[in-house]
Structures are given as C-alpha cells and as structure tokens.
Amino acid sequence: LERRTVSIFKGSMMLGDFCQDQLGCFRPTLGWADYRTPIKNLYMASGTCRPSGGCSAAPGYNCAGVICDDLKIKKWWKPVTMSIK
C-alpha cells in the first residue's frame, strides 16, 4: 500500500507526516484548516483535514457544520458533546 500511495509517508496511516507542521491550523495546509478552500463553495473534508489524520468521521462532521454556517442552513443533527466526569 505504501509503495502505491504517495501520500502514505513512510507507511503512516495518518495521511501524511504526523509532525508539528501537520497539526491544528497547519492541517492540511496553513489557511485551509477551516475546511474552506480559495474557491467559493468548495470545501475539503477528508482524513488529511483536521482534527488529525487517519480514518474518522470528524473532518466530515466538522465540514458539514461549516457548510451549514456559510449557507445559513439549520443543522438538522444533534451536536456531539463530550463530558468528562
């Protein structure tokens, strides 16, 4: 899989190098961490987007919220909340 997929850096399942310049506001690249692209109404949501690399539903969930906010669409889902007791 690593040999055929250039984005798997050294076999990383994190979809890129998991280092300081690929975390938080730098993921996938500086200025695009809010799921928006320079092209109007074009959004990004994949394992290469924040909150981190790998396979999860978090980037899609977060991106859907951004799209709803931008288009002033009411979110039809119940927000996920986390509590630590």
Side-chain angles (χ1 to χ4, degrees):
L1 184 62
E2 178 186 357
R3 284 190 299 268
R4 292 193 286 173
T5 310
V6 296
S7 64
I8 298 180
F9 180 77
K10 294 183 181 176
S12 170
M13 295 306 290
M14 301 309 282
L15 301 172
D17 191 9
F18 206 60
C19 59
Q20 289 291 350
D21 63 350
Q22 277 290 295
L23 299 175
C25 67
F26 298 108
R27 192 161 188 96
T29 187
L30 187 60
W32 291 23
D34 64 356
Y35 306 98
R36 296 174 182 92
T37 69
I39 301 170
K40 185 179 179 179
N41 296 327
L42 179 65
Y43 298 84
M44 290 191 326
S46 72
T48 61
C49 296
R50 60 182 196 98
S52 66
C55 297
S56 75
Y61 177 85
N62 293 340
C63 185
V66 169
I67 292 169
C68 286
D69 291 345
D70 286 357
L71 300 178
K72 307 210 181 344
I73 297 171
K74 184 179 183 231
K75 295 173 187 162
W76 60 91
W77 61 88
K78 185 176 181 178
V80 174
T81 58
M82 297 178 73
S83 64
I84 300 173
K85 294 181 180 185

